Amino acid sequence: MEIFVEVARLRSFSEAGRRLGLTRAMVSKHILQLEDKLGARLLHRSTREVSLTDVGQAYLAPCTATVSQAREAARVVAQVGDELAGPLRIQAPSSFGSEWLSGAVARFALQHPLLEPMLFVDDALLDPIEHGFDLTIRVGGIPDVHALAMRPLAPCRGVLCASPSYLARHGTPATPQELRQHRCLHFSHLTDGTQWHFTRGEEQQSVRVPAAFTANNGMVLQQAAQQGLGIVYNTTFLAWRSLMEGTLVPVLSDWELPLNHLSALYPASRQPSPKVRALIDFLVAEYHPVPPWDRALSDSGLLI
């Protein structure tokens, strides 16, 4: 089952073998034995790729959960005393993972030398259970409240900003509706697409902005904004340094964007393991109640 999960994840017998320390022939032999035992074909094979059959797709999720639980049972046995040990698979958005989470995980790992953290940064909304992640960090809500449990880590504030050179050429919008006349840089994973929402006291406005440039990565959009391409819908955890250095300046700062949260997700079907629980507690201590990026902006008078 473990070999099947790796082959399904990597879409390759050879890559799965390298990951597990087995030859390609041995991987193929184990998959054939599993298919014989189940009486069903799990994988389509070709010279160029491996893909799941319909039966294989249905079998993958419960198989992944079983393998994950078996691995966790083995890791508990492997722990020495109260020390945390063994692999810890973490997935996070690339912008947050690179800018903030990587350092926090490194500091956590220094406290637990037997731990083997594996950090995967990806802006795709990957299924944590299907991909075998112990912990997933996500901005926003949970895709399936029945399969995943959540613990909030920190507020995630949105901010509109642009370079001084862009605003000098095109002017500064005074109202959300004036964004229609501007070049807007759009993050493709926003829930409402190019519909941006604003609040000021009791007043609310929404505007469908023209997307002059679209990307699925916040760092890409930030760099484009710094080059003067347009106004970017950003997060303070990514924009904080540029705002403090003045390479980007806030736009429509008297209006608030919807408040999101950074959350830790883990399978709801079981209690989080000691190392997952310890990492979540560590991240809460790092980021709550005011995360360091917002604290830096507040101390500089750029965020109230």
Side-chain angles (χ1 to χ4, degrees), residues 40-42 44 63 68 70 157 228 232 234 246 266 271 275-276 278 303:
R41 189 178 180 87
L42 300 175
H44 295 298
C63 192
S68 179
R157 299 180 183 277
V232 63
N234 214 335
Y266 55 90
Q271 290 294 319
K275 54 194 169 188
V276 169
L303 177 70

Side-chain angles (χ1 to χ4, degrees), residues 85-197:
L88 179 60
R89 291 168 55 86
I90 311 153
Q91 191 260 338
S94 55
S95 299
F96 181 75
S98 302
E99 182 74 8
W100 289 99
L101 187 62
S102 57
V105 170
R107 291 189 292 275
F108 180 72
L110 284 171
Q111 298 178 11
H112 306 284
L114 297 181
L115 202 63
E116 302 166 16
M118 294 178 283
L119 177 58
F120 300 84
V121 291
D122 195 322
D123 286 318
L125 299 178
L126 302 176
D127 185 324
I129 297 175
E130 179 181 343
H131 289 82
F133 296 123
D134 299 300
L135 185 67
T136 294
I137 308 301
R138 188 163 292 172
V139 177
I142 309 175
D144 186 342
V145 295
H146 300 293
L148 296 171
M150 178 193 75
R151 184 171 174 189
L153 297 178
C156 181
R157 299 180 183 277
V159 60
L160 291 191
C161 44
S163 70
S165 63
Y166 173 85
L167 297 176
R169 291 195 312 272
H170 299 278
T172 302
T175 68
Q177 301 305 320
E178 290 183 18
L179 290 170
R180 293 194 178 98
Q181 283 73 55
H182 282 267
R183 298 177 60 83
C184 296
L185 313 185
H186 172 60
F187 183 55
S188 60
H189 289 316
L190 285 178
T191 304
D192 289 344
T194 57
Q195 187 91 358
W196 293 0
H197 305 282

